[in-house]
Amino acid sequence: FCLENTDPRTRGRGIQLLSQVLLECHSLLQEKEVLHLVLFYESRLQDHHLVIPSVLQGLRALSMCEVLPPGLAVSVLKAIFREVHVQSLLQLDRHTVYSIITNFMATREEELKGLGADFTFGFIQVMDGEKDPRNLLVAFQIVRDLIGKNYALGPFVEELFEVTSCYFPIDFTPPPNDPHGIQREDLILSLRAVLASTPQFAEFLLPLLIEKMDSELQSAKLDSLQTLSACCAIYGQKELQEFLPSLWSSLRREVFQTASEKVEAECLSALHALSACLSRSVLSSDAEDLLDSFLSSILQDCRHHLCEPDMKLVWPSAKLLQAAAGASLRTYHRLASSVLPLLLEQYNKHAQSSQRRTILEMLLGFLELQQKWGYVEEDESALLSLQDPVCSVVFSALTDPSVQLQMVGIRALTVLGSLQGFLSPSDLELVVDHLIRLALHEEDSQSSEAAMEAAGSLAPIYPKVFSGRMVPRLGEELQSEREEESSQDLRSLRQRCLRALAAVSTHSSIVRETVPVLLQHLRKVQKGSEAGTAQDMVSVCQSLHRVALQCQQDAEGCWYYHQAVVPCLLAMAVQAAMQESTHPLVGKALLQEEVLAAMVPVISAATTHLSPELAAQSVSHVVPLFLDGEVSFLPQNSFPCSFQPFEDGECLEPQRRLVALLMAFVCSLPRNVAIPQQERLLRELLALSCSCNCPFTATTAAKCFAGLVNKHPAGQQLDEILQLAVNRVEPGLAEGPRRTQALTLLLWVTKALVLRYHPLSSHLTDKLLALLSDVELGPAVADGFSLLMAESPDVLHKGCHADVRIMFRQRFFTDNVPKLVQGFHGAGPDVKANYLKGLSHVLNHLPKPVLVTELPTLLSLLLEALSCSDRVVQLSTLSCLQPLLLEAPQIMSLHVDTLVTKFLSLTSSPAMAVRIAALRCAHALTSLPTVVLLPYKARVIRALAKPLDDKKRLVRKEAVAARGEW
């Protein structure tokens, strides 16, 4: 009834219902039914315009039918092209037409191609005048498919180009709260893919790009340059030939005149792409070599600027030359052979260090390009003929008094060294001599460090030269006793020698030379009696640590290092501890906390990367050393008495300190390595951590216990050990002289269990929360929350194979912050600060996105924490609030009055760190909405005048930044 009704609205409703049914059930239709429906819908395209949208919906449903008879796709599209004026339809209906075309192109490609260029012409009519970005994205994709799948374009190439290029450059700003989420960038990339999809567009597109490059709009320039770079990937010489002079002139002008780094970078990319495109093109014998003439014009326009005495356009010219030279080996040879001799000549002409530095930096750019193409001695390389002058220029830069010029020289030296076979044996020896001189004797520490880094880069390429020439020289300098130098200068020289030895240890054969030198020096320092011995030992350990890190990826080198260093360090430490027990003051420096603490990362780094088999071999020696005094594996193992670090006795105190080295070793082992006598070891460590009077030893034993517990497989043995620990801790915390040791043990065991989500962790955390109200231990417990949340440097981190769950901080926050807040509200005034301090430590280590979501409930507490007199609480809270001002301005704006008052009052705190943090927060306030800040502007500027006169420079610096922003 509806379909035959004379009223177009009623007919429309009938067709709409039918179309909706078809959209639901098009997959169930049979071929005869589809044929019948298609013929019906095609005839309806001639109906009243009110009916057309519903007809198109029906055709969209039918275009998805797999049983559509052959020929009907063409018939439907012809009918649409003939009967429907698409651009007069609403957006949704136009989108339906594009969907029908897309569906047919996906399933009926051969049929549509049978239409020839008529299909392309029909689509051009459909798209012409489209304005909606949703539809444009689909239309651009259809054009890409037309070109990419080789549909016939016939005489309509220019029309297809015109119908798409009219949108270039895209000028679209999405409306606020746009539900479709289409961004300007989506349209730009989609249109660029169309314009750069075929060389057939070149004759129309390149003039358009040149025109837009010359536009005043930066966005148009950038889009044109990026599109040009994309086109170069598919164009050849034929397409570019006519437009090369204009393209080069536009690119050159932009680089010489632009103030925008973005535009300059895109110009250089486009020039690189053009040169690469011309390099790829295969020439017939009679064709003109466009690349050669193009490079000639670049040289003609840029070369003379390199010689100008004011050096005004030197950098832009060099960048253009390097962009073209980087395109292919051919462009590099052509340009380098002309430019390199000129740069060398200019370097020798100019006497000023600053000008020489500029020229050497340009030379370095060309050397780095040679590095990119790889250096072959037989090559007809421009560089090969200039070997001597290039080396002499670089060597002269290394001896120049200007530090900046030296730095560029060192970089150039590193690049030359990486060009295999470029440096002769005599040049290499000179390189090593220069690096030693700069590393050890150059006054400026920047040059010294750069020389060491360069040695580290070149050593793996020339291991024989560095191990045969550099290492012995560094060893001699390290051992030399120069009477003419002050002890301070001598110490500084030795420190540099140690750093240089570590820096050069980047190849396994060199490590075998440097490690014995470092260990020999450590023994020599241990025997010495001068005042700075401890600091010297720490320096040797730092160098050993760096070498260990550099060995870790090489299994063989790692095992050599472990065998050479770990037994040696243990032997020296055991020797010192026994001498201390029998002859006090001999070898005392090695037992100082700072030296043992410096040995810990050395042993740890030497152990973490061992294979399980080798680690098991090593652990079978080290654990019996500490448990049974088994010293036979140590070098020089004739000791005056037995080694019993876990025995009682005042005289054994020095031996107990060496538990730090045991911790470094056993806590760094891979988790699948079995530790011999582990239960006994855990009991000994537990006893030592609770009974030892030395805080260093007690803490180290607790950390070692915690590290082992964290990796211990779950089960009855672990439960028994933990129960034993709880039984030791509880009475220790109750009363007596060793409450601090018991707390330290509790904190470390809690951390070990929190990291692995062990069920007992919540019981231990509750114990800590209860101790916050203890007047004596409360402040230490509050600081302990930082230990629980922070990354630990020596044990219980992923680097030493600890069991660390991915979101342990979030879980700890969720479980314990409500209890902290509750405890704060119920606490007496003398211990409230402990809860605030604990809370601020937890929040400080929480990922910021989590913190922002919890902010509304916690902000009032944080503001209260700022009024607390404890400096640690103030500092911790300020460092917590500063990022929140930047990340949650809406919430923070509600409390701006309180924040301004608190921050300004803390800028006059007696603690420098608090004053700096408060000024940083006052600075961060400026990220809140301006309308919120304006009422406070005058008051803040007045108040921030006072810290401008602060007696500390760092405070004044922050005050200047904050006040300037306000």
Side-chain angles (χ1 to χ4, degrees), residues 248 292-306 317 321 324 331 333-340 342 366:
W248 163 238
D292 200 57
S293 55
F294 184 59
L295 296 178
S296 295
S297 52
I298 293 176
L299 277 169
Q300 188 182 337
D301 290 342
C302 294
R303 199 171 182 272
H304 62 276
H305 290 305
L306 302 180
S317 302
L321 287 164
T331 58
H333 285 328
R334 174 78 173 81
L335 294 175
S337 59
S338 175
V339 174
L340 290 181
L342 186 67
F366 278 96

Side-chain angles (χ1 to χ4, degrees), residues 134 144 151 317 422 436 658 678 771 796 829:
R134 291 163 288 182
R144 279 165 66 187
Y151 282 78
S317 302
F422 181 80
I436 292 171
L658 302 195
Q678 185 168 6
L771 284 170
L796 295 178

Side-chain angles (χ1 to χ4, degrees), residues 72 170 191 332 339 343 356 386 391 417 526 533 741 785 790 910:
L72 284 192
I170 294 285
L191 176 57
Y332 176 76
V339 174
L343 289 175
R356 286 185 149 197
L386 300 170
C391 286
Q526 185 194 7
T533 304
Q741 279 95 318
F785 279 90

Side-chain angles (χ1 to χ4, degrees), residues 15 48 183 387 406 420 510 667 681 859 864 875 918 941 944:
I15 293 175
H48 193 279
Q183 297 300 314
Q387 194 168 1
Q406 282 179 17
Q420 201 74 44
I510 301 175
C667 293
L681 180 60
L859 194 53
E864 201 166 330
L875 195 57
I941 290 174
L944 292 181

Side-chain angles (χ1 to χ4, degrees), residues 128-139:
D128 193 7
E130 181 59 69
K131 288 188 176 60
D132 190 277
R134 291 163 288 182
N135 290 350
L136 282 173
L137 282 178
V138 186

Side-chain angles (χ1 to χ4, degrees), residues 792-823:
S792 166
D794 43 11
V795 292
L796 295 178
H797 61 89
K798 282 191 172 170
C800 62
H801 312 290
D803 186 355
V804 180
R805 299 302 168 88
I806 192 165
M807 293 175 79
F808 78 91
R809 289 186 179 90
Q810 287 90 318
R811 181 167 175 166
F812 188 87
F813 171 86
T814 311
D815 290 351
N816 297 297
V817 164
K819 298 176 188 173
L820 271 169
V821 173
Q822 191 183 348

Side-chain angles (χ1 to χ4, degrees), residues 519-675:
L519 292 175
Q520 183 188 350
H521 185 63
L522 187 61
R523 288 193 202 94
K524 180 185 167 189
V525 175
Q526 185 194 7
K527 289 171 186 157
S529 55
E530 65 242 45
T533 304
Q535 187 47 51
D536 292 341
M537 290 184 138
V538 169
S539 300
V540 182
C541 290
Q542 286 167 343
S543 288
L544 282 168
H545 181 229
R546 180 170 174 180
V547 178
L549 294 176
Q550 288 164 186
C551 286
Q552 283 180 338
Q553 301 314 315
D554 169 30
E556 196 181 326
C558 186
W559 179 234
Y560 162 78
Y561 181 91
H562 184 87
Q563 283 181 304
V565 174
V566 174
C568 181
L569 292 185
L570 288 172
M572 288 169 68
V574 170
Q575 181 84 37
M578 289 181 179
Q579 285 175 334
E580 175 71 7
S581 308
T582 51
H583 313 85
L585 300 178
V586 180
K588 183 144 178 105
L590 204 145
L591 300 173
Q592 288 182 23
E593 277 180 36
E594 57 181 318
V595 179
L596 289 172
M599 284 181 160
V600 165
V602 179
I603 293 175
S604 179
T607 308
T608 50
H609 283 63
L610 288 182
S611 68
E613 300 76 37
L614 296 174
Q617 197 178 321
S618 195
V619 77
S620 66
H621 295 307
V622 177
V623 172
L625 168 68
F626 281 86
L627 286 179
D628 307 314
E630 181 55 67
V631 294
S632 58
F633 82 103
L634 298 178
Q636 299 153 345
N637 54 17
S638 53
F639 300 117
C641 58
S642 56
F643 181 58
Q644 302 165 311
F646 291 116
E647 295 295 320
D648 292 334
E650 196 63 40
C651 66
L652 295 176
E653 180 51 46
Q655 295 189 12
R656 289 191 201 109
R657 298 169 79 80
L658 302 195
V659 169
L661 306 185
L662 172 68
M663 171 197 81
F665 177 77
V666 293
C667 293
S668 303
L669 292 167
R671 258 188 266 176
N672 55 356
V673 174
I675 295 171

